């Protein structure tokens, strides 16, 4: 949610900041801006729209400087317009600041400052902090710029990653973190600050992940990190990042989402690399070994997550309860964090998060820790806040996911949950043969994905015939009910078609009223124990004129005669089917969004990483 970047060094900051903003644009894309400092003068440009709109303004200007900050916004307070775009400047025009997060008590501070005569120009919470810094700095001779920022940060409540410049101190950048991610890149005589490492890696591989309450000063080619309040120096270790540039570019694909759908030919295997043990019918999960005693003796498990990751959690519940026979509760992190859930030292709380930065999931984990639970993270981004906050965890290793609609991260999360469930299950008495059966199917998943990708033309046909629908229903049972939810989420977020996922048998209890000849209904219907029950639901939809799209692993005559379209998933283990069938749903949503000419990688109102509540 919002991307921020800062640069100080001996190169021209403009191309570095603009390219960096493009890399961060997945975090927010309703407006952007840049501020540069040179010869004790601050210049800035900001505008509503995409980074490309800012780029053309910057290209037509003579803006320059020797250090700078930039921002791409996802609006929280104030509509997306030029004025509300960051950077925000104080009333003197000497201080500029970019912010990711929310200052919750901004109204109180704003009222106070207004009483003192400060005039605000924007509707944002961010302007409040920059005006407060200015008030403190210009009205207290003894306060340096650095100490004014520290003092202002102590007045605010909420989450922030900030980077600030002051014209009076032209070779200095100041940054701080509380709740919102911030990474310091350490190059040769140059430094970068950014919301994540993606804009940094083409300049340096050496980064420092900042923690909450940390304050960075980069001055005269040196950096120091200290506690915001106590000023005590914090010693941090440099982390070397292995990410390649190709991984964060879309290459020949028109959209990141399509690239990431195709990446699943190898990303699921990447998730399993070195972790499958066919011989013993089990999995090796090094990241949780030290906490196995707690996991094996746990009386209950909570899985907490948001959006797509929550859907993966619902699948995880089926798997863990099936193999490990321990009760699993799956909760939205935003609900879990504010209720009095039963958590004690015998509880395991697992947070699933692609980004590892989702504010609610992070807060849920912090709460679980406070209450004495063992916390595990299933994250994609190494070095992310949730990965660092949890006691232990399993990385999904799906590679960077840039498209706002999650695809390969989801299949990687489900893969990790299968491996985790089997790992615990085998230690609790699940037979080697059952383990081997599951692992054998996991081992052929790459080929299954390749076969699914070969059927793209069939999926396009379905998209062509249904893209004009205003509503879509997705139905599945058991472990495939979350697949239905995920299919519906994919469609609504990128094509703006209203879609709902339901347990197939629940249709009769309400949603059936919606069905008419304009309503496409997607059935996720593998030939498992509930197949004939789902077949009856298909009959019910057909009887009411609905358009039936069946996703199955075996076509029989009933399916053929009842379905308007059948999409075939290669035969696999019933617990691997959610992975492969969800890829068909990803492609379907993608193709519909293409036909509707939607902004697939940057759908309206969304952002990839939700770092505010
Ligand atoms: O990074 P996280 O997995 O924590 O993100 C959670 C959700 O914001 C995310 O899955 C969201 O629902 C996606 N846009 C879905 O495609």
């Amino acid at each position: 949610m919002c991307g921020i970047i800062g640069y100080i060094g001996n190169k021209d900051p403009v191309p570095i900041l603009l390219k960096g903003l493009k890399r961060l644009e997945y975090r927010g894309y309703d407006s952007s801006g840049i501020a540069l400092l040179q010869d004790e003068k601050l210049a800035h440009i900001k505008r509503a729209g995409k980074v490309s709109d800012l780029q053309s303004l910057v290209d037509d200007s003579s803006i320059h400087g020797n250090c700078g900050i930039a921002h791409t916004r996802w609006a929280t307070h104030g509509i997306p317009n030029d004025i509300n775009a960051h950077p925000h400047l104080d009333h003197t025009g000497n201080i500029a600041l970019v912010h990711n997060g929310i200052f919750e008590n901004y109204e109180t501070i704003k009222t106070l400052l207004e009483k003192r005569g400060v005039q605000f120009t924007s509707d944002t919470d961010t302007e409040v902090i920059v005006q407060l810094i200015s008030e403190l700095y210009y009205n207290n001779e003894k306060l340096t710029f650095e100490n004014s920022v520290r003092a202002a940060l102590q007045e605010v409540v909420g989450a922030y990653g900030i980077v600030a410049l002051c014209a009076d101190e032209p070779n200095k950048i100041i940054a701080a973190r509380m709740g919102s991610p911030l990474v310091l890149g350490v190059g040769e005589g140059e430094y970068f600050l950014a919301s994540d490492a993606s804009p940094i890696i083409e300049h340096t591989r050496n980064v420092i992940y900042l923690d909450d309450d940390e304050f960075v000063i980069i001055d005269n080619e040196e950096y120091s990190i200290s506690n915001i309040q106590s000023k005590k120096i914090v010693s941090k270790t440099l982390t070397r990042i292995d990410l390649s540039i190709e991984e964060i570019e879309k290459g020949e694909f028109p959209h990141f989402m399509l690239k990431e759908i195709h990446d699943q030919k190898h990303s699921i295997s990447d998730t399993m690399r070195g972790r499958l043990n066919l011989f013993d019918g089990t999995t090796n999960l090094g990241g949780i070994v030290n906490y196995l005693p707690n996991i094996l003796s746990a009386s209950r498990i909570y899985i907490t997550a948001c959006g797509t990751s929550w859907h993966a959690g619902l699948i995880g519940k089926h798997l863990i309860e099936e193999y490990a026979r321990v009760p699993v509760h799956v909760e939205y992190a935003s609900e879990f964090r504010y209720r009095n859930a039963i958590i004690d030292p015998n509880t395991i709380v697992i947070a699933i998060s692609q980004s590892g930065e989702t504010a609610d999931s992070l807060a849920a984990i912090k709460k679980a820790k406070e209450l004495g639970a063992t916390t595990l993270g299933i994250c994609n981004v190494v070095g992310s806040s949730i990965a660092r906050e949890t006691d232990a965890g399993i990385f999904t290793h799906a590679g960077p996911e840039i498209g706002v609609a999650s695809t390969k991260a989801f299949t990687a999360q489900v893969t990790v949950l299968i491996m985790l469930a089997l790992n615990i299950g085998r230690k609790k008495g699940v037979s080697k043969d059952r383990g081997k059966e599951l692992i054998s199917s996991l081992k052929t998943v790459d080929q299954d994905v390749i076969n699914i990708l070969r059927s793209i033309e069939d999926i396009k046909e379905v998209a062509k015939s249904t893209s004009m629908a205003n509503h879509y229903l997705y139905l599945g049972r058991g472990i495939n009910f979350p697949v239905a939810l995920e299919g519906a989420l994919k469609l609504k977020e990128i094509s703006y078609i209203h879609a709902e996922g339901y347990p197939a048998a629940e249709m009769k209890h309400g949603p059936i009223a919606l069905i008419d000849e304009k309503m496409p209904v997607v059935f996720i219907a593998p030939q498992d124990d509930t197949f004939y029950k789902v077949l009856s639901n298909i009959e019910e939809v057909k009887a009411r004129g609905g358009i039936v799209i069946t996703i199955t692993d075996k076509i029989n005559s009933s399916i053929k005669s009842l379905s308007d379209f059948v999409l075939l998933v290669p035969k696999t283990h019933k617990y691997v089917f959610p992975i492969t069938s969800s890829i068909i749903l990803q492609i379907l949503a993608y193709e519909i969004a293409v036909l509707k000419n939607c902004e697939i990688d940057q759908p309206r109102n969304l952002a990839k990483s939700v770092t505010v509540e």
Side-chain angles (χ1 to χ4, degrees), residues 306-309 352-358 361 404-406 413 486 489-490 493 606-610:
C306 304
T308 286
S309 300
I352 306 178
S353 174
Q354 186 286 130
S355 60
E357 299 295 349
T358 300
S361 307
V404 166
S406 187
Q413 289 165 345
E486 176 58 10
L489 179 64
K490 284 292 85 88
E493 70 181 330
L606 288 173
K608 179 79 181 155
S609 179
V610 183

Side-chain angles (χ1 to χ4, degrees), residues 541-557:
V541 169
K542 202 66 224 160
R544 284 154 185 87
I547 305 163
V548 174
I549 303 157
T550 306
I551 296 176
T552 187
D553 52 357
K554 195 171 164 207
I555 303 178
N556 66 14
S557 53

Side-chain angles (χ1 to χ4, degrees), residues 22 35 78 82 85 145 170 202 247 251 281 294 297 405 444 477 484 502 511 515 521 526 559 588:
K22 285 196 182 131
D82 293 354
F145 174 56
E202 51 206 287
E247 283 181 278
N294 306 29
S297 63
T444 59
R477 267 192 107 135
Y502 255 88
I515 291 166
V521 184
I559 288 209
L588 180 61

Side-chain angles (χ1 to χ4, degrees), residues 29-92:
Y29 32 81
D30 59 44
S31 55
S32 56
I34 182 168
L36 299 166
L37 197 52
Q38 186 156 47
D39 306 329
E40 299 182 20
K41 280 207 180 72
L42 204 55
H44 76 285
I45 298 181
K46 49 190 202 165
R47 122 155 323 189
K50 300 276 166 79
V51 174
S52 51
D53 299 315
L54 176 73
Q55 169 105 51
S56 8
L57 272 189
V58 172
D59 289 347
D60 294 344
S61 77
S62 55
I63 189 168
H64 63 283
N66 54 0
C67 66
I69 56 178
H71 185 277
T72 178
R73 180 172 186 244
W74 184 87
T76 59
H77 296 65
I79 57 163
N81 61 17
D82 293 354
I83 291 173
N84 289 333
H86 297 218
H88 285 281
L89 271 67
D90 73 322
H91 63 280
T92 69

